[in-house]
Amino acid sequence: MGITMRYREVVSLFLSQVLFLLLPASVSHAMLILSCSCKLQILEGLLKKSLPQTLQVYGAVMNINRGNPVGHEVIVDSWPDFKAVVTRPQREAVSDNADFLSNIYAAFYRDLDVYRKLLLDTDAINWDQTFALCGNHDGIYEVSKEAVAAKEVQLTATPYFTYLNLNPDKQPEPRLDPGFTFSSLNSSHIDLLNETWHFGGSEHSRRYLANMVQCFPSTCILDSNGHPISWIIMESLGTLRHGYTLPSHRRRGYSSMVQRVQARRVHAAGFPVYGLVALDNTPQQKLLVSLGFQRLSELCHYCIHSPASQ
């Protein structure tokens, strides 16, 4: 009799813990910070089922669940039946409210009205800082435009094509000339990256690049003197970005090589392999197609918001 009662108590406790993980904290909440590690693991699985629409949010959540190297957190409208998700920097992790490169948000929604209310009617967004928000739904740009008047902010929005590679292992192993080697970027390379990056040249960009190199996988080709000549980085949303080859080493296939090696590395770590390309960057688009990438039908909207007073 005592053993039976104890068994029932254990089962009852287990069921109550499961219900606590799955049920919303409060049905009246329009915004919920999803901090429980078990819920974040469940969210990752749910977002994976909705790929590729969830790419940016999914990449951010994967990094949160793997040590959270840049201090991000997840906001949902409700749990577990969420209609909108936003990832954002943790408030205590923000070191500069004017640095949109580091203040990066990602968004995904199933219901546009819910997403609109989450952004405009809750504290999900810190409208007093300059930040970038991106995602693969047209409604993300539409709501950002509404925020210009509602929140008195300035908006600069850029659309990008999203290219996804489902199986980068199909590409042949790249071979380098003697004396050249594949490696990873390190802190000694940051000045070079900052000088050559289209958005570089500032202390904000230098700090951002240093953080990305320190926290996420990168691939570069070193010449016989150990100097990087071509490189690419994965950043906090899982995107492959900052690809560059020094002008004196172009037209030799190095960009293709570093992207193939990086894609395999990211794929082996379980991340989706994807990148963003400007609409007028035809050479990069052709390169990605040759490497097995497919272009998604929806554009990725990269929306930079800043207080109107700045």
Side-chain angles (χ1 to χ4, degrees), residues 53-266:
Q53 287 79 14
T54 57
L55 273 172
Q56 286 79 19
V57 168
Y58 179 65
V61 171
M62 285 192 71
N63 279 317
I64 291 172
N65 287 338
R66 288 155 183 77
N68 200 12
V70 293
H72 281 186
E73 63 186 5
V74 177
I75 307 296
V76 292
D77 64 293
S78 60
W79 182 261
D81 187 23
F82 63 88
K83 299 293 191 303
V85 186
V86 172
T87 64
R88 70 182 188 186
Q90 295 171 331
R91 299 297 166 93
E92 59 272 21
V94 175
S95 60
D96 188 342
N97 277 332
D99 183 6
F100 76 87
L101 292 171
S102 297
N103 301 333
I104 181 73
Y105 291 63
F108 164 74
Y109 64 81
R110 293 170 174 161
D111 186 309
L112 179 57
D113 287 334
V114 172
Y115 172 70
R116 179 181 289 108
K117 291 176 182 177
L118 182 64
L119 255 68
L120 302 181
D121 299 336
T122 74
D123 294 328
I125 303 295
N126 180 5
W127 297 103
D128 292 328
Q129 70 178 185
T130 299
F131 67 94
L133 184 151
C134 62
N136 282 331
H137 287 302
D138 289 341
I140 289 172
Y141 173 52
E142 296 301 321
V143 173
S144 288
K145 286 196 298 183
E146 294 177 24
V148 170
K151 299 298 180 179
E152 297 183 348
V153 297
Q154 298 174 341
L155 172 65
T156 302
T158 305
Y160 289 92
F161 288 129
T162 302
Y163 282 81
L164 175 67
N165 193 336
L166 295 175
N167 192 357
D169 294 334
K170 284 186 176 181
Q171 291 292 316
E173 189 75 25
R175 296 183 179 181
L176 288 172
D177 294 332
F180 285 52
T181 57
F182 288 109
S183 185
S184 297
L185 295 164
N186 61 52
S187 59
S188 70
H189 304 143
I190 302 304
D191 286 338
L192 175 62
L193 268 63
N194 196 31
E195 292 169 4
T196 54
W197 187 30
H198 179 71
F199 297 104
S202 69
E203 186 55 36
H204 285 162
S205 59
R206 191 187 191 286
R207 182 170 61 236
Y208 165 78
L209 290 167
N211 204 18
M212 295 302 102
V213 167
Q214 178 183 356
C215 295
F216 302 109
S218 63
T219 298
C220 67
I221 295 175
L222 302 179
D223 64 14
S224 56
N225 296 315
H227 299 144
I229 62 169
S230 184
W231 56 83
I232 194 167
I233 306 171
M234 188 185 90
E235 49 82 82
S236 59
L237 305 184
T239 320
L240 301 186
R241 297 192 69 188
H242 317 301
Y244 189 84
T245 300
L246 295 179
S248 58
H249 292 276
R250 290 176 184 171
R251 301 187 182 278
R252 300 177 188 176
Y254 294 140
S255 179
S256 173
M257 292 180 187
V258 294
Q259 294 200 51
R260 274 189 278 170
V261 172
Q262 178 76 350
R264 291 186 177 196
R265 180 176 297 179
V266 169

Side-chain angles (χ1 to χ4, degrees), residues 138 141 157-162 276-280 299-303:
D138 289 341
Y141 173 52
T158 305
Y160 289 92
F161 288 129
T162 302
L276 305 179
V277 184
L279 304 190
D280 60 352
L299 295 174
C300 175
H301 298 279
Y302 191 89
C303 303

